[in-house]
Amino acid sequence: KNKYETTNNNLFSDPKMNRFRNGRLFFPYQHSIADSILEAFGRKGINTADYFEFLRDSYDLPDGLTSPLPEYDFIIVGAGSAGSVLASRLSENKNITVLLLEAGKPETLLTDVPALAPYFQATDYTWQYYMEPQHGVCMGMTNERCFWPRGKAVGGTSVINYMIYTRGRPQEWDRIAADGNYGWSYNDVLHYYKKSEKADLDGYEMNHSRNRNGVLPVQFVPKRTKLIKAFLEAGAILGHPTIDYNSPDQLGFGYVQVTTEGGHRASAAKVFLHKQKKRRNLHILPETIVTKVLIDPYNKTAYGVEFSRNGRLYTVSARKEVILSAGPIASPQLLMLSGVGPKDHLNSKDIHVIEDLPVGKTLYDHICFPGTIFTLNVTNVSIHESTAITLTSIFSWLRNGDNELSTPGAVEGIGYIKTPISNDPEPIPDIELISIGGSLVADGGPSGSKAVRRGMRIRKQVFDQAFGSIDDTDTWSAFPMLLHPKSVGYIELKDKNPFNYPKMVGNYLTDPTDIATFVAAIRYIQKIAATEPFQKFGARIYPADYLPCRSFEFDSDAYWECAIRMLTATLHHQIATCRMGPAGDPQAVVDPELRVYGIGRLRVVDSSIIPRTVSIHTNAPAMMIGEKAADMIKATWSI
Ligand SMILES: Cc1cc2nc3c(=O)[nH]c(=O)nc-3n(C[C@H](O)[C@H](O)[C@H](O)COP(=O)(O)OP(=O)(O)OC[C@H]3O[C@@H](n4cnc5c(N)ncnc54)[C@H](O)[C@@H]3O)c2cc1C
């Protein structure tokens, strides 16, 4: 019995949430953008229950095959951001056979719409993971649990993410290389960022760090509010130049750069698999869950995988390598299920230990605080879902891709700052500010989808009490994201059933420096809002009322700490669970060429290998890792 299905079904036992239950993809919200789009298609006379399949991409096996071959050169587990790139690059050589196994389904036209990003966290395009309960964080979320969605689709998390494109600071990658990870300096990784990139960034395309001739579109969001202008002007007043924030040469503020093309999402699947699926040597198998890597315990060499498809178990062999690209939760889980992990932990789960490695022992994440909201004394300045989304705008997006539907969750700008709490001697920021052309209240009102707050799993009662009186009004907010948390989490197995989720421990905010950095960032956001560009809109910090925080004076440090603990929101950048490190590094799972220590013919190629915190959103880095791994694998096998 596939227990994932059981979990998901239970989550949506509310009949209101089952509106499209008979469709393969369903939306739990009423009167939402999605509903409008669905209605739009409905009016074309297409049956609602069927049109998700009609809109869905497909990946049929070539040559009329109905099942995969018994053996391939390479087997890649997970068609996510990294796995899609890797499969595409390895199969460029027609003599090499590649099998790409993916638990999720192919994407649909709806996943193309950037403004719908928050909706997909409630669909079967998402692994519905939750962090283990932790006292004093996510206090305002459902069951006081932090929600950790991950993409379950051909294209992986790049199908449900917010499309923000970032690369990290040069000094951060240079530190990773200086730890002994040869080949991972900034110049090394820049080569692979550029290899993918097709930059269309007005004014910046010719920068030496950009490339206009790759395949991965990187663009500015075509639709902007006046608030992003205010953010950039305020930044300049406070000494932050307006720049290409991915530039290695300067630190500053800039317009958000996103992986979209003509206002449509450019997922890893769309860019790296869609055209490549005609290749006869690349076999892609969606809706297939890998349950184990097959490892010969005597010579400690991987020789294939076991997988479940349509309720049956199969095995398939790899002539050259098995590569795990299942992401930062499932890659360590699969290693441990296969006998590679901490010895005592595997023994406690009755799993035969093949190699004792610190799998899952380190986990960093980027959390943010979405509650620094400023009211404005003007109207129609910020984004309102209720007025922005009309049938006309839907058709206009389909035709031109240049209206509000092309805006990923109203994210408009990014700014890097270094708070006084940081003691880093290098020009490395400790906070990223994400400027929003609105705030958490933008999708409210009687007909609003409330998708963002629901995506974060903020309890209705908590939200209404905190922000109810400003719901759907004009606001500005900046989310501070903690770039280098000192608190460290971990992942373990709950049991040896591959269909059960592992135990995910975030340990958020357990180091006092993390709270101090957040509070310093909120003070800085208040400074930004106090500048003339924001004061001309009458920006005022909104005194959100959280029941557990009432004993603290509004705007005191203690109040903000309490507020952060109420609305602790991940930005979904879990890393380091299959940490990369040089030989002899006691925390390393893979070597700098991403080979699993002690096991032959097995690599991990995804965001789980990133060993240290970096100032990144992890999608572009995962694709970069896929590009770099492809070259390393080609070098190993002289292909
Ligand atoms: C809601 C959300 C918003 C985000 N926004 C941004 C953003 O704006 N910008 C950004 O840079 N990053 C963002 N991220 C993070 C970023 O998208 C991910 O870190 C990145 O896509 C991870 O790539 P990956 O290759 O490591 O793993 P994934 O892309 O997660 O790929 C792993 C794949 O493996 C599959 N898989 C797992 N287990 C199995 C199994 N047993 N068998 C077969 N297949 C399996 C999964 O279904 C998945 O398709 C966001 C993440 C989320 C969840």
Side-chain angles (χ1 to χ4, degrees), residues 245-278:
Y245 62 74
N246 278 313
S247 156
D249 310 320
Q250 276 175 296
L251 211 54
F253 286 19
Y255 293 109
V256 71
Q257 301 168 17
V258 286
T259 44
T260 63
E261 185 151 44
H264 292 230
R265 178 191 291 274
S267 72
K270 189 129 6 91
V271 175
F272 290 97
L273 297 179
H274 187 83
K275 287 192 192 121
Q276 293 77 348
K277 64 185 173 183
K278 291 279 175 333

PDB file of all heavy atoms in Angstrom, residues 245-278:
ATOM      1  N   TYR A 245      21.893  42.090  -9.011  1.00  0.00           N
ATOM      2  CA  TYR A 245      22.297  41.574  -7.690  1.00  0.00           C
ATOM      3  C   TYR A 245      23.066  40.260  -7.783  1.00  0.00           C
ATOM      4  O   TYR A 245      23.644  39.804  -6.804  1.00  0.00           O
ATOM      5  CB  TYR A 245      21.081  41.440  -6.749  1.00  0.00           C
ATOM      6  CG  TYR A 245      20.028  40.465  -7.227  1.00  0.00           C
ATOM      7  CD1 TYR A 245      20.224  39.093  -7.162  1.00  0.00           C
ATOM      8  CD2 TYR A 245      18.824  40.909  -7.760  1.00  0.00           C
ATOM      9  CE1 TYR A 245      19.271  38.197  -7.623  1.00  0.00           C
ATOM     10  CE2 TYR A 245      17.865  40.028  -8.220  1.00  0.00           C
ATOM     11  CZ  TYR A 245      18.095  38.673  -8.162  1.00  0.00           C
ATOM     12  OH  TYR A 245      17.161  37.775  -8.623  1.00  0.00           O
ATOM     13  N   ASN A 246      23.080  39.649  -8.963  1.00  0.00           N
ATOM     14  CA  ASN A 246      23.905  38.449  -9.139  1.00  0.00           C
ATOM     15  C   ASN A 246      25.317  38.805  -9.586  1.00  0.00           C
ATOM     16  O   ASN A 246      26.138  37.910  -9.818  1.00  0.00           O
ATOM     17  CB  ASN A 246      23.267  37.509 -10.170  1.00  0.00           C
ATOM     18  CG  ASN A 246      22.165  36.663  -9.538  1.00  0.00           C
ATOM     19  OD1 ASN A 246      22.349  36.101  -8.473  1.00  0.00           O
ATOM     20  ND2 ASN A 246      21.007  36.613 -10.184  1.00  0.00           N
ATOM     21  N   SER A 247      25.570  40.100  -9.735  1.00  0.00           N
ATOM     22  CA  SER A 247      26.916  40.502 -10.146  1.00  0.00           C
ATOM     23  C   SER A 247      27.917  40.129  -9.059  1.00  0.00           C
ATOM     24  O   SER A 247      27.695  40.413  -7.884  1.00  0.00           O
ATOM     25  CB  SER A 247      26.934  42.016 -10.388  1.00  0.00           C
ATOM     26  OG  SER A 247      28.236  42.498 -10.246  1.00  0.00           O
ATOM     27  N   PRO A 248      29.051  39.511  -9.444  1.00  0.00           N
ATOM     28  CA  PRO A 248      30.036  39.155  -8.416  1.00  0.00           C
ATOM     29  C   PRO A 248      30.792  40.369  -7.885  1.00  0.00           C
ATOM     30  O   PRO A 248      31.434  40.297  -6.850  1.00  0.00           O
ATOM     31  CB  PRO A 248      31.001  38.217  -9.166  1.00  0.00           C
ATOM     32  CG  PRO A 248      30.829  38.547 -10.612  1.00  0.00           C
ATOM     33  CD  PRO A 248      29.427  39.039 -10.780  1.00  0.00           C
ATOM     34  N   ASP A 249      30.701  41.495  -8.583  1.00  0.00           N
ATOM     35  CA  ASP A 249      31.573  42.626  -8.269  1.00  0.00           C
ATOM     36  C   ASP A 249      31.026  43.556  -7.198  1.00  0.00           C
ATOM     37  O   ASP A 249      31.765  44.306  -6.591  1.00  0.00           O
ATOM     38  CB  ASP A 249      31.836  43.451  -9.547  1.00  0.00           C
ATOM     39  CG  ASP A 249      32.291  42.547 -10.687  1.00  0.00           C
ATOM     40  OD1 ASP A 249      33.080  41.625 -10.407  1.00  0.00           O
ATOM     41  OD2 ASP A 249      31.833  42.750 -11.831  1.00  0.00           O
ATOM     42  N   GLN A 250      29.716  43.565  -6.996  1.00  0.00           N
ATOM     43  CA  GLN A 250      29.104  44.542  -6.107  1.00  0.00           C
ATOM     44  C   GLN A 250      28.020  43.892  -5.273  1.00  0.00           C
ATOM     45  O   GLN A 250      27.411  42.913  -5.705  1.00  0.00           O
ATOM     46  CB  GLN A 250      28.378  45.598  -6.935  1.00  0.00           C
ATOM     47  CG  GLN A 250      29.205  46.738  -7.451  1.00  0.00           C
ATOM     48  CD  GLN A 250      28.309  47.596  -8.343  1.00  0.00           C
ATOM     49  OE1 GLN A 250      27.851  47.133  -9.376  1.00  0.00           O
ATOM     50  NE2 GLN A 250      28.054  48.817  -7.926  1.00  0.00           N
ATOM     51  N   LEU A 251      27.769  44.513  -4.140  1.00  0.00           N
ATOM     52  CA  LEU A 251      26.630  44.094  -3.320  1.00  0.00           C
ATOM     53  C   LEU A 251      25.597  45.210  -3.401  1.00  0.00           C
ATOM     54  O   LEU A 251      25.959  46.383  -3.318  1.00  0.00           O
ATOM     55  CB  LEU A 251      27.115  43.943  -1.878  1.00  0.00           C
ATOM     56  CG  LEU A 251      26.476  42.929  -0.966  1.00  0.00           C
ATOM     57  CD1 LEU A 251      26.481  41.542  -1.574  1.00  0.00           C
ATOM     58  CD2 LEU A 251      27.208  42.910   0.371  1.00  0.00           C
ATOM     59  N   GLY A 252      24.341  44.901  -3.563  1.00  0.00           N
ATOM     60  CA  GLY A 252      23.355  45.979  -3.654  1.00  0.00           C
ATOM     61  C   GLY A 252      21.951  45.450  -3.755  1.00  0.00           C
ATOM     62  O   GLY A 252      21.661  44.322  -3.353  1.00  0.00           O
ATOM     63  N   PHE A 253      21.066  46.316  -4.274  1.00  0.00           N
ATOM     64  CA  PHE A 253      19.651  45.969  -4.451  1.00  0.00           C
ATOM     65  C   PHE A 253      19.365  45.869  -5.953  1.00  0.00           C
ATOM     66  O   PHE A 253      20.038  46.509  -6.763  1.00  0.00           O
ATOM     67  CB  PHE A 253      18.752  47.083  -3.877  1.00  0.00           C
ATOM     68  CG  PHE A 253      18.684  47.149  -2.368  1.00  0.00           C
ATOM     69  CD1 PHE A 253      19.651  46.559  -1.564  1.00  0.00           C
ATOM     70  CD2 PHE A 253      17.649  47.833  -1.743  1.00  0.00           C
ATOM     71  CE1 PHE A 253      19.583  46.643  -0.173  1.00  0.00           C
ATOM     72  CE2 PHE A 253      17.561  47.924  -0.361  1.00  0.00           C
ATOM     73  CZ  PHE A 253      18.534  47.330   0.421  1.00  0.00           C
ATOM     74  N   GLY A 254      18.359  45.097  -6.330  1.00  0.00           N
ATOM     75  CA  GLY A 254      18.030  45.019  -7.756  1.00  0.00           C
ATOM     76  C   GLY A 254      16.638  44.467  -7.998  1.00  0.00           C
ATOM     77  O   GLY A 254      15.994  43.928  -7.083  1.00  0.00           O
ATOM     78  N   TYR A 255      16.187  44.614  -9.227  1.00  0.00           N
ATOM     79  CA  TYR A 255      14.925  43.998  -9.643  1.00  0.00           C
ATOM     80  C   TYR A 255      15.089  42.486  -9.591  1.00  0.00           C
ATOM     81  O   TYR A 255      16.140  41.961  -9.978  1.00  0.00           O
ATOM     82  CB  TYR A 255      14.570  44.392 -11.079  1.00  0.00           C
ATOM     83  CG  TYR A 255      14.241  45.848 -11.254  1.00  0.00           C
ATOM     84  CD1 TYR A 255      15.108  46.700 -11.931  1.00  0.00           C
ATOM     85  CD2 TYR A 255      13.057  46.366 -10.746  1.00  0.00           C
ATOM     86  CE1 TYR A 255      14.791  48.046 -12.097  1.00  0.00           C
ATOM     87  CE2 TYR A 255      12.740  47.702 -10.905  1.00  0.00           C
ATOM     88  CZ  TYR A 255      13.613  48.540 -11.580  1.00  0.00           C
ATOM     89  OH  TYR A 255      13.304  49.875 -11.726  1.00  0.00           O
ATOM     90  N   VAL A 256      14.048  41.785  -9.179  1.00  0.00           N
ATOM     91  CA  VAL A 256      14.157  40.329  -9.104  1.00  0.00           C
ATOM     92  C   VAL A 256      14.355  39.746 -10.509  1.00  0.00           C
ATOM     93  O   VAL A 256      13.782  40.235 -11.491  1.00  0.00           O
ATOM     94  CB  VAL A 256      12.919  39.710  -8.406  1.00  0.00           C
ATOM     95  CG1 VAL A 256      11.654  39.780  -9.260  1.00  0.00           C
ATOM     96  CG2 VAL A 256      13.194  38.263  -8.014  1.00  0.00           C
ATOM     97  N   GLN A 257      15.201  38.741 -10.595  1.00  0.00           N
ATOM     98  CA  GLN A 257      15.434  38.018 -11.855  1.00  0.00           C
ATOM     99  C   GLN A 257      14.768  36.648 -11.710  1.00  0.00           C
ATOM    100  O   GLN A 257      14.911  35.995 -10.674  1.00  0.00           O
ATOM    101  CB  GLN A 257      16.935  37.853 -12.086  1.00  0.00           C
ATOM    102  CG  GLN A 257      17.662  39.187 -12.157  1.00  0.00           C
ATOM    103  CD  GLN A 257      19.169  39.057 -12.092  1.00  0.00           C
ATOM    104  OE1 GLN A 257      19.730  37.992 -12.304  1.00  0.00           O
ATOM    105  NE2 GLN A 257      19.841  40.161 -11.803  1.00  0.00           N
ATOM    106  N   VAL A 258      14.047  36.239 -12.726  1.00  0.00           N
ATOM    107  CA  VAL A 258      13.287  34.990 -12.605  1.00  0.00           C
ATOM    108  C   VAL A 258      13.497  34.077 -13.809  1.00  0.00           C
ATOM    109  O   VAL A 258      13.822  34.552 -14.908  1.00  0.00           O
ATOM    110  CB  VAL A 258      11.764  35.277 -12.441  1.00  0.00           C
ATOM    111  CG1 VAL A 258      11.452  35.796 -11.059  1.00  0.00           C
ATOM    112  CG2 VAL A 258      11.262  36.246 -13.494  1.00  0.00           C
ATOM    113  N   THR A 259      13.298  32.790 -13.580  1.00  0.00           N
ATOM    114  CA  THR A 259      13.411  31.822 -14.675  1.00  0.00           C
ATOM    115  C   THR A 259      12.053  31.685 -15.356  1.00  0.00           C
ATOM    116  O   THR A 259      11.302  30.735 -15.114  1.00  0.00           O
ATOM    117  CB  THR A 259      13.906  30.461 -14.133  1.00  0.00           C
ATOM    118  OG1 THR A 259      13.187  30.172 -12.935  1.00  0.00           O
ATOM    119  CG2 THR A 259      15.381  30.452 -13.858  1.00  0.00           C
ATOM    120  N   THR A 260      11.756  32.691 -16.168  1.00  0.00           N
ATOM    121  CA  THR A 260      10.527  32.655 -16.974  1.00  0.00           C
ATOM    122  C   THR A 260      10.886  33.058 -18.390  1.00  0.00           C
ATOM    123  O   THR A 260      11.919  33.690 -18.620  1.00  0.00           O
ATOM    124  CB  THR A 260       9.452  33.635 -16.459  1.00  0.00           C
ATOM    125  OG1 THR A 260       9.958  34.969 -16.564  1.00  0.00           O
ATOM    126  CG2 THR A 260       9.038  33.350 -15.045  1.00  0.00           C
ATOM    127  N   GLU A 261      10.016  32.700 -19.306  1.00  0.00           N
ATOM    128  CA  GLU A 261      10.197  33.137 -20.688  1.00  0.00           C
ATOM    129  C   GLU A 261       8.869  33.707 -21.168  1.00  0.00           C
ATOM    130  O   GLU A 261       7.850  33.015 -21.135  1.00  0.00           O
ATOM    131  CB  GLU A 261      10.609  31.957 -21.577  1.00  0.00           C
ATOM    132  CG  GLU A 261      10.915  32.416 -23.002  1.00  0.00           C
ATOM    133  CD  GLU A 261      11.952  31.517 -23.667  1.00  0.00           C
ATOM    134  OE1 GLU A 261      11.818  30.283 -23.530  1.00  0.00           O
ATOM    135  OE2 GLU A 261      12.873  32.055 -24.313  1.00  0.00           O
ATOM    136  N   GLY A 262       8.889  34.971 -21.550  1.00  0.00           N
ATOM    137  CA  GLY A 262       7.649  35.629 -21.975  1.00  0.00           C
ATOM    138  C   GLY A 262       6.584  35.556 -20.902  1.00  0.00           C
ATOM    139  O   GLY A 262       5.401  35.408 -21.209  1.00  0.00           O
ATOM    140  N   GLY A 263       6.999  35.638 -19.626  1.00  0.00           N
ATOM    141  CA  GLY A 263       6.029  35.615 -18.537  1.00  0.00           C
ATOM    142  C   GLY A 263       5.512  34.229 -18.191  1.00  0.00           C
ATOM    143  O   GLY A 263       4.622  34.081 -17.360  1.00  0.00           O
ATOM    144  N   HIS A 264       6.061  33.169 -18.809  1.00  0.00           N
ATOM    145  CA  HIS A 264       5.659  31.785 -18.506  1.00  0.00           C
ATOM    146  C   HIS A 264       6.794  31.099 -17.742  1.00  0.00           C
ATOM    147  O   HIS A 264       7.967  31.302 -18.061  1.00  0.00           O
ATOM    148  CB  HIS A 264       5.392  30.999 -19.793  1.00  0.00           C
ATOM    149  CG  HIS A 264       4.175  31.460 -20.548  1.00  0.00           C
ATOM    150  ND1 HIS A 264       3.198  30.601 -20.982  1.00  0.00           N
ATOM    151  CD2 HIS A 264       3.781  32.694 -20.923  1.00  0.00           C
ATOM    152  CE1 HIS A 264       2.248  31.287 -21.605  1.00  0.00           C
ATOM    153  NE2 HIS A 264       2.588  32.556 -21.586  1.00  0.00           N
ATOM    154  N   ARG A 265       6.439  30.235 -16.776  1.00  0.00           N
ATOM    155  CA  ARG A 265       7.459  29.516 -16.004  1.00  0.00           C
ATOM    156  C   ARG A 265       8.366  28.699 -16.922  1.00  0.00           C
ATOM    157  O   ARG A 265       7.888  27.975 -17.805  1.00  0.00           O
ATOM    158  CB  ARG A 265       6.772  28.568 -15.019  1.00  0.00           C
ATOM    159  CG  ARG A 265       7.730  27.723 -14.185  1.00  0.00           C
ATOM    160  CD  ARG A 265       6.986  26.619 -13.430  1.00  0.00           C
ATOM    161  NE  ARG A 265       6.135  27.141 -12.377  1.00  0.00           N
ATOM    162  CZ  ARG A 265       6.546  27.419 -11.138  1.00  0.00           C
ATOM    163  NH1 ARG A 265       7.803  27.203 -10.799  1.00  0.00           N
ATOM    164  NH2 ARG A 265       5.700  27.886 -10.243  1.00  0.00           N
ATOM    165  N   ALA A 266       9.669  28.800 -16.675  1.00  0.00           N
ATOM    166  CA  ALA A 266      10.614  27.951 -17.408  1.00  0.00           C
ATOM    167  C   ALA A 266      11.155  26.928 -16.408  1.00  0.00           C
ATOM    168  O   ALA A 266      12.190  27.138 -15.769  1.00  0.00           O
ATOM    169  CB  ALA A 266      11.740  28.794 -17.990  1.00  0.00           C
ATOM    170  N   SER A 267      10.439  25.836 -16.227  1.00  0.00           N
ATOM    171  CA  SER A 267      10.873  24.804 -15.282  1.00  0.00           C
ATOM    172  C   SER A 267      12.065  24.047 -15.864  1.00  0.00           C
ATOM    173  O   SER A 267      12.325  24.113 -17.078  1.00  0.00           O
ATOM    174  CB  SER A 267       9.734  23.817 -15.027  1.00  0.00           C
ATOM    175  OG  SER A 267       9.564  23.012 -16.188  1.00  0.00           O
ATOM    176  N   ALA A 268      12.740  23.307 -15.011  1.00  0.00           N
ATOM    177  CA  ALA A 268      13.868  22.486 -15.484  1.00  0.00           C
ATOM    178  C   ALA A 268      13.388  21.490 -16.529  1.00  0.00           C
ATOM    179  O   ALA A 268      14.097  21.181 -17.495  1.00  0.00           O
ATOM    180  CB  ALA A 268      14.504  21.764 -14.305  1.00  0.00           C
ATOM    181  N   ALA A 269      12.149  21.001 -16.367  1.00  0.00           N
ATOM    182  CA  ALA A 269      11.631  20.024 -17.338  1.00  0.00           C
ATOM    183  C   ALA A 269      11.387  20.692 -18.683  1.00  0.00           C
ATOM    184  O   ALA A 269      11.715  20.136 -19.732  1.00  0.00           O
ATOM    185  CB  ALA A 269      10.334  19.416 -16.816  1.00  0.00           C
ATOM    186  N   LYS A 270      10.791  21.877 -18.632  1.00  0.00           N
ATOM    187  CA  LYS A 270      10.479  22.546 -19.894  1.00  0.00           C
ATOM    188  C   LYS A 270      11.758  22.849 -20.659  1.00  0.00           C
ATOM    189  O   LYS A 270      11.825  22.701 -21.873  1.00  0.00           O
ATOM    190  CB  LYS A 270       9.700  23.834 -19.595  1.00  0.00           C
ATOM    191  CG  LYS A 270       9.155  24.456 -20.818  1.00  0.00           C
ATOM    192  CD  LYS A 270       7.693  24.821 -20.809  1.00  0.00           C
ATOM    193  CE  LYS A 270       6.894  24.673 -19.582  1.00  0.00           C
ATOM    194  NZ  LYS A 270       6.888  25.890 -18.761  1.00  0.00           N
ATOM    195  N   VAL A 271      12.785  23.271 -19.919  1.00  0.00           N
ATOM    196  CA  VAL A 271      14.013  23.710 -20.583  1.00  0.00           C
ATOM    197  C   VAL A 271      14.911  22.525 -20.963  1.00  0.00           C
ATOM    198  O   VAL A 271      15.510  22.518 -22.026  1.00  0.00           O
ATOM    199  CB  VAL A 271      14.780  24.683 -19.655  1.00  0.00           C
ATOM    200  CG1 VAL A 271      16.122  25.067 -20.250  1.00  0.00           C
ATOM    201  CG2 VAL A 271      13.935  25.924 -19.394  1.00  0.00           C
ATOM    202  N   PHE A 272      14.990  21.534 -20.072  1.00  0.00           N
ATOM    203  CA  PHE A 272      15.997  20.483 -20.288  1.00  0.00           C
ATOM    204  C   PHE A 272      15.423  19.124 -20.712  1.00  0.00           C
ATOM    205  O   PHE A 272      16.179  18.230 -21.059  1.00  0.00           O
ATOM    206  CB  PHE A 272      16.851  20.307 -19.025  1.00  0.00           C
ATOM    207  CG  PHE A 272      17.767  21.471 -18.779  1.00  0.00           C
ATOM    208  CD1 PHE A 272      17.416  22.478 -17.899  1.00  0.00           C
ATOM    209  CD2 PHE A 272      18.971  21.584 -19.459  1.00  0.00           C
ATOM    210  CE1 PHE A 272      18.257  23.567 -17.679  1.00  0.00           C
ATOM    211  CE2 PHE A 272      19.819  22.654 -19.248  1.00  0.00           C
ATOM    212  CZ  PHE A 272      19.452  23.656 -18.358  1.00  0.00           C
ATOM    213  N   LEU A 273      14.112  18.941 -20.630  1.00  0.00           N
ATOM    214  CA  LEU A 273      13.571  17.617 -20.989  1.00  0.00           C
ATOM    215  C   LEU A 273      12.546  17.644 -22.111  1.00  0.00           C
ATOM    216  O   LEU A 273      12.394  16.667 -22.836  1.00  0.00           O
ATOM    217  CB  LEU A 273      12.908  16.961 -19.757  1.00  0.00           C
ATOM    218  CG  LEU A 273      13.824  16.662 -18.572  1.00  0.00           C
ATOM    219  CD1 LEU A 273      13.012  16.055 -17.441  1.00  0.00           C
ATOM    220  CD2 LEU A 273      14.971  15.738 -18.976  1.00  0.00           C
ATOM    221  N   HIS A 274      11.842  18.764 -22.227  1.00  0.00           N
ATOM    222  CA  HIS A 274      10.709  18.771 -23.151  1.00  0.00           C
ATOM    223  C   HIS A 274      11.159  18.475 -24.590  1.00  0.00           C
ATOM    224  O   HIS A 274      10.616  17.589 -25.251  1.00  0.00           O
ATOM    225  CB  HIS A 274       9.964  20.093 -23.060  1.00  0.00           C
ATOM    226  CG  HIS A 274       8.702  20.102 -23.850  1.00  0.00           C
ATOM    227  ND1 HIS A 274       7.526  19.590 -23.360  1.00  0.00           N
ATOM    228  CD2 HIS A 274       8.447  20.517 -25.104  1.00  0.00           C
ATOM    229  CE1 HIS A 274       6.596  19.694 -24.277  1.00  0.00           C
ATOM    230  NE2 HIS A 274       7.127  20.259 -25.344  1.00  0.00           N
ATOM    231  N   LYS A 275      12.152  19.201 -25.056  1.00  0.00           N
ATOM    232  CA  LYS A 275      12.621  18.951 -26.434  1.00  0.00           C
ATOM    233  C   LYS A 275      13.425  17.653 -26.511  1.00  0.00           C
ATOM    234  O   LYS A 275      13.416  16.963 -27.521  1.00  0.00           O
ATOM    235  CB  LYS A 275      13.514  20.109 -26.895  1.00  0.00           C
ATOM    236  CG  LYS A 275      12.745  21.374 -27.186  1.00  0.00           C
ATOM    237  CD  LYS A 275      13.620  22.395 -27.909  1.00  0.00           C
ATOM    238  CE  LYS A 275      12.922  23.736 -27.931  1.00  0.00           C
ATOM    239  NZ  LYS A 275      13.709  24.777 -27.270  1.00  0.00           N
ATOM    240  N   GLN A 276      14.123  17.326 -25.437  1.00  0.00           N
ATOM    241  CA  GLN A 276      15.020  16.172 -25.426  1.00  0.00           C
ATOM    242  C   GLN A 276      14.259  14.850 -25.377  1.00  0.00           C
ATOM    243  O   GLN A 276      14.852  13.778 -25.576  1.00  0.00           O
ATOM    244  CB  GLN A 276      15.959  16.263 -24.209  1.00  0.00           C
ATOM    245  CG  GLN A 276      16.939  17.404 -24.263  1.00  0.00           C
ATOM    246  CD  GLN A 276      16.314  18.760 -23.920  1.00  0.00           C
ATOM    247  OE1 GLN A 276      15.104  18.927 -23.852  1.00  0.00           O
ATOM    248  NE2 GLN A 276      17.164  19.752 -23.719  1.00  0.00           N
ATOM    249  N   LYS A 277      12.956  14.894 -25.107  1.00  0.00           N
ATOM    250  CA  LYS A 277      12.244  13.616 -24.928  1.00  0.00           C
ATOM    251  C   LYS A 277      12.152  12.822 -26.214  1.00  0.00           C
ATOM    252  O   LYS A 277      11.788  11.645 -26.188  1.00  0.00           O
ATOM    253  CB  LYS A 277      10.862  13.840 -24.307  1.00  0.00           C
ATOM    254  CG  LYS A 277       9.888  14.618 -25.129  1.00  0.00           C
ATOM    255  CD  LYS A 277       8.643  14.823 -24.295  1.00  0.00           C
ATOM    256  CE  LYS A 277       7.675  15.742 -24.986  1.00  0.00           C
ATOM    257  NZ  LYS A 277       6.502  16.004 -24.178  1.00  0.00           N
ATOM    258  N   LYS A 278      12.474  13.443 -27.323  1.00  0.00           N
ATOM    259  CA  LYS A 278      12.467  12.706 -28.593  1.00  0.00           C
ATOM    260  C   LYS A 278      13.727  11.829 -28.735  1.00  0.00           C
ATOM    261  O   LYS A 278      13.818  10.982 -29.615  1.00  0.00           O
ATOM    262  CB  LYS A 278      12.406  13.680 -29.782  1.00  0.00           C
ATOM    263  CG  LYS A 278      11.080  14.419 -29.914  1.00  0.00           C
ATOM    264  CD  LYS A 278      10.067  13.535 -30.603  1.00  0.00           C
ATOM    265  CE  LYS A 278       8.661  14.027 -30.720  1.00  0.00           C
ATOM    266  NZ  LYS A 278       8.090  14.944 -29.803  1.00  0.00           N
TER     267      LYS A 278
END
